Amino acid sequence: MEGEEKPAQEADMEPVVTSGTSEAVPRVLSGDPQNISDVDAFNLLLEMKLKRRRERPNLPRTVTQLVAEDGSRVYVVGTAHFSDDSKRDVVKTIREVQPDVVVVELCQYRVSMLKMDERTLLREAKEVSLEKLQQAVRQNGLMSGLMQMLLLKVSAHITEQLGMAPGGEFREAFKEASKVPFCKFHLGDRPIPVTFKRAIAALSFWQKVKLAWGLCFLSDPISKDDVERCKQKDLLEQMMAEMIGEFPDLHRTIVSERDVYLTYMLRQAARRLELPRASDAEPRKCVPSVVVGVVGMGHVPGIEKNWSTDLNIQEIMTVPPPSISGRVSRVAVKAAFFGLLGYSLYWMGRRTMNLVLSLPAAQFCLQRVSEARPGR
C-alpha cells in the first residue's frame, strides 16, 4: 500500500447531520407547526441546543481547551483507553459543551468497534487467531502484519488482565454525539496500515527483532490503578521518555506523526459554520464552531505543541519504499517461517509414525509381512 492515503473525515454511520453553531439565533415565531419552514425548524432545534450549551462548562481535569484563529473552540479530552473514568469524562464533556463536531482517535479500519457491544469486543480482543494474522498480513504486508499482531497481543494481555475491552471512551463519544442536535462524528486518526508500514520502515532489522522479542514475552500483571495513573501527565511523559530512548524512530512514526495528523483533523473540524438562509437574498452568516476531541492522553502534549504551527500531512501519509535491509529481513522471515513449518510437519509425522508402529496391531502386521516374504 504505497503512495498516499486521504484523511478520513466522517464515520460512515450515524450521527451525521449538519453542524450547529455557538452563537444565539433568532427565536422562531409562533405559528402552525405544520407550516414551519426548514430554516425555522433548524433554528428552533439550534436554539434548544444552545440552551443546553454552557458558556462556562464544568469540565473534567483531563480536558484541554484550544481556540482556533476564527474563534472556534476545541475541547480535547485526554483518555486512558482502558478506563471507566475516561468514559465518564467524555460523556460529561459532550453534555456540557453540546459540540457541533466530535472527533475521535480512530480510523476507518477500526471503526467497527463503535457498533460492537462490550461482550463481543471483550471476546474479540482476547482472541489472537491465525485468521486475524492472515487478515493483518493481507492488509498490511508480512512485516507490518506481524507487528500489528504483536501489538494486538499486548492489547489482549491488558484486556485479559483488566477484564475490560479497549476503546470504551470512543463508544461513549459516539452514543453521546447522537444525542446532540446537528452534531457530526469524525474519524481523526491516520489509517493504521500507513502507520504500521511507516513504523516498520523506520526500524532497522535488529530493532524489529528486539521489539518483537519484547512484545512476544510480555507478561507483567497490570492493575486498574496502573491504567488510571496514565491519566497523570508527569507519569505518561516519563513513560514516553523511556520509549524514545529505546526506539526513537518508532516513537516518531507511532506518536509524533499521529500528533500532527490528529491536530490537522481537529483544526479541519474547527471551522466556522454557515447558518442556513431563508432565501438567497439574505446575507451569509458564519459562526464559530465547538468541537470535542477524544484522544489518548499521550497525544495531548503533541496536539498542544502543533496547534499554532503550519501543518503539512502529505509527507506523513506517504509510505516509503522498502529498503534493502527490509527486503532481506522479509525474505529471512519467510524462510524461517516455512523452515519451521516444514520441520514441524516432519517432526509430527515422524512422531506419529513411531507411535503407530509401536501399537500391538502394527507390530503383528509387520511380523506377518516379514514371515510372508519369500525365502523366509
Side-chain angles (χ1 to χ4, degrees):
M1 178 178 172
E2 295 187 2
E4 297 180 355
E5 290 270 358
K6 293 183 179 179
Q9 288 290 338
E10 294 185 12
D12 186 19
M13 56 181 69
E14 59 185 46
V16 290
V17 192
T18 55
S19 298
T21 179
S22 58
E23 291 186 0
V25 294
R27 294 183 60 85
V28 178
L29 298 177
S30 59
D32 187 357
Q34 299 295 330
N35 298 326
I36 190 171
S37 68
D38 291 340
V39 174
D40 287 342
F42 178 90
N43 288 337
L44 179 60
L45 290 173
L46 188 55
E47 186 178 3
M48 293 171 57
K49 174 178 178 176
L50 294 176
K51 284 182 178 179
R52 297 180 192 171
R53 180 180 291 173
R54 301 190 180 185
E55 287 297 325
R56 295 182 179 179
N58 180 22
L59 300 174
R61 61 180 178 82
T62 53
V63 175
T64 300
Q65 183 174 349
L66 303 170
V67 181
E69 292 181 355
D70 62 8
S72 297
R73 289 172 289 161
V74 178
Y75 299 92
V76 182
V77 188
T79 66
H81 294 314
F82 292 84
S83 169
D84 288 330
D85 282 351
S86 287
K87 291 191 281 188
R88 288 189 285 268
D89 290 350
V90 169
V91 171
K92 180 177 179 61
T93 302
I94 293 177
R95 290 180 180 177
E96 287 281 325
V97 305
Q98 294 290 296
D100 305 306
V101 185
V102 172
V103 181
V104 295
E105 184 197 332
L106 288 176
C107 68
Q108 64 266 39
Y109 294 92
R110 293 176 289 158
V111 72
S112 59
M113 72 162 55
L114 294 176
K115 285 198 167 183
M116 287 187 183
D117 61 82
E118 196 78 15
R119 183 177 300 177
T120 303
L121 278 166
L122 192 60
R123 184 178 67 251
E124 288 287 324
K126 288 181 178 179
E127 296 176 355
V128 181
S129 62
L130 180 61
E131 182 181 353
K132 287 185 178 180
L133 174 60
Q134 292 173 338
Q135 182 180 357
V137 171
R138 282 197 304 267
Q139 186 180 91
N140 303 318
L142 179 62
M143 295 301 297
S144 299
L146 291 174
M147 189 62 64
Q148 180 178 351
M149 289 307 298
L150 289 174
L151 292 175
L152 281 177
K153 180 180 178 295
V154 175
S155 178
H157 171 66
I158 299 175
T159 299
E160 186 175 3
Q161 291 282 320
L162 300 182
M164 180 187 300
E169 73 273 31
F170 302 138
R171 289 186 292 279
E172 290 298 325
F174 182 70
K175 293 176 186 176
E176 287 301 315
S178 66
K179 302 174 185 177
V180 179
F182 312 114
C183 182
K184 292 184 178 181
F185 192 87
H186 287 192
L187 305 176
D189 202 2
R190 183 171 65 179
I192 196 169
V194 177
T195 297
F196 277 121
K197 288 183 178 181
R198 286 184 62 85
I200 290 297
L203 294 177
S204 67
F205 175 75
W206 292 113
Q207 283 179 320
K208 294 171 187 174
V209 172
K210 186 177 181 181
L211 178 64
W213 181 268
L215 293 175
C216 280
F217 293 94
L218 177 72
S219 59
D220 294 337
I222 301 171
S223 68
K224 289 191 175 183
D225 290 339
D226 292 332
V227 177
E228 294 305 325
R229 286 170 61 217
C230 288
K231 296 171 72 175
Q232 302 173 14
K233 289 188 178 181
D234 55 343
L235 172 66
L236 197 61
E237 288 173 1
Q238 179 182 349
M239 295 169 61
M240 288 291 184
E242 294 174 0
M243 182 178 176
I244 290 173
E246 190 132 7
F247 301 104
D249 293 324
L250 192 65
H251 176 270
R252 173 177 56 81
T253 53
I254 291 183
V255 180
S256 299
E257 290 183 358
R258 288 172 62 222
D259 289 347
V260 172
Y261 192 92
L262 288 164
T263 306
Y264 175 84
M265 296 304 292
L266 286 168
R267 288 197 340 203
Q268 288 292 105
R271 291 182 169 183
R272 292 178 68 85
L273 306 171
E274 182 179 340
L275 297 178
R277 297 178 295 165
S279 67
D280 293 338
E282 288 189 9
R284 296 179 182 274
K285 183 179 181 182
C286 295
V287 295
S289 60
V290 173
V291 178
V292 169
V294 183
V295 304
M297 178 62 77
H299 292 291
V300 176
I303 292 173
E304 289 185 273
K305 176 183 175 182
N306 293 311
W307 184 251
S308 300
T309 61
D310 294 331
L311 301 178
N312 181 4
I313 66 168
Q314 298 305 317
E315 180 182 352
I316 64 172
M317 292 299 293
T318 303
V319 178
S323 62
I324 295 177
S325 63
R327 290 194 290 267
V328 170
S329 64
R330 280 199 297 274
V331 172
V333 170
K334 288 182 180 179
F337 174 77
F338 287 113
L340 287 173
L341 179 62
Y343 177 77
S344 300
L345 292 174
Y346 166 76
W347 183 80
M348 290 177 62
R350 185 175 178 180
R351 288 291 302 271
T352 303
M353 182 61 68
N354 290 336
L355 180 63
V356 171
L357 292 177
S358 65
L359 296 174
Q363 294 287 339
F364 176 76
C365 291
L366 289 174
Q367 184 178 359
R368 292 294 299 270
V369 169
S370 179
E371 292 174 353
R373 285 182 181 177
R376 295 298 297 264

